[in-house]
Amino acid sequence: MKRIIYAIVVLLLVSSCKKGSKPGGTTVPVIPASDTSLQKMLPFKFGGAVNINLLRTNTKYADVAKHEYNSITAENAMKFGALHPQENTYNWTDADYLVNFAQTNGAKRVHGHTLIWHQSLPSWVTNYSGDSAAFENIMKTHIQTVVTRFKGKVTSWDVVNEAFEDSGVLRNSIWRQKLGDDYIARCFQYANQADPDAILFYNDYGHEYSSAKRTAITNMITDFKNRGIPIHGTGMQFHMTVTQSDANISTAINAAAATGLKVHIAELDIRLNNDKVQGLTFTTAMATQQAAKYGYVVKTFNAIPAAQKYGITTWNVGDADSWVPGWLGAPDWPLPFDAVYKRKPAYYSIINAVK
Ligand code: GLA
């Protein structure tokens, strides 16, 4: 009898603590906030793309990056125009700051974004009038200078970003116009020559909504594998709307995993205001719907083979830092942290999805 009474008392105590209060009436968190973090709770790397100015000047922003992430990407600081503004000028200041931040705050992995893209190009590239061989040399020199500079410090690169249209045809970017369809393969070879240990990704958006694009990317990867072109993973941006179907999300993740290469959900954000409603406010119902979608993405990703889980990166840290409201021209709250870096329901849903 004594034992039963003892067991009941213990049970009552445990359940009152779970609710966040102790017998004395003082509130205690179930898990102290400082003990929880995405990097501790998830069985794969979790990171964010960061803005270097905010990292330098906003302590709360930097604290979230330090505490929560074990992988980090530069939002803009490693793009072509930022690193290589003139033909013979490289500007490493911001990228170096990021690499140093990653190294001195718990040896975070740095993912490089991005070597070759049709955007963020300086005018000396877009106005270049030399012949095809000279343009090839620009591409090769840029890739090899950047990859060599960060050899041993940047673990992986988005070698080429967004080379396909949603229809599945190759985007007629300046690179393709000047260098032909096979420029993508050569970018991977150049990057691999500069750092044979770097993990090389092809990165793009639309895997979740365009089967034509997804198929074109998968076919390119298979072709690269057959030809011995060094490619190691698929980056799926996943800038998505909360109304995206679970079926489409799992089709995209599983198709990328079926290549046998690594999968990086590389730019995740889940927007709530795709209809661009002006004056919309963030409600509990919206937070719940968004949390469920984040949870589904994480759960589905976590189910692929462990060796293929390169990780998940959100595109920036808190809602106020996101590119989405500016792009939509309307309010939105696409990230797991709010404007003052408080954890949203999406945050807890990410953690619960791997339990
Ligand atoms: C694309 C690019 C990123 C970033 C986002 C949002 O997804 O890959 O570098 O520019 O758009 O702006």
Side-chain angles (χ1 to χ4, degrees), residues 310-324:
Y310 196 65
I312 298 184
T313 299
T314 59
W315 204 247
N316 227 312
V317 179
D319 284 338
D321 317 315
S322 169
W323 71 295
V324 171

Side-chain angles (χ1 to χ4, degrees), residues 33-42 46 64 67-69 287 290-292 294-295 298 335-338 341-353:
S34 58
D35 282 0
T36 322
S37 70
L38 295 166
Q39 60 170 321
K40 260 194 207 167
M41 306 299 282
L42 301 175
F46 195 97
V64 173
H67 183 71
E68 301 284 355
Y69 303 153
Q290 182 183 51
Y294 265 100
V298 171
L335 291 164
F337 296 92
D338 72 9
Y341 305 107
K342 216 171 132 244
R343 295 160 174 178
K344 291 165 59 184
Y347 176 96
Y348 296 100
S349 179
I350 290 170
I351 290 176
N352 286 333

Side-chain angles (χ1 to χ4, degrees), residues 75-76 79 113 117 161-162 203 237 239 267 315 323:
E75 184 185 26
N76 293 312
K79 289 176 177 169
H113 172 88
W117 188 29
N161 194 34
E162 302 181 351
N203 192 54
Q237 295 186 3
H239 296 291
E267 305 188 17
W315 204 247
W323 71 295

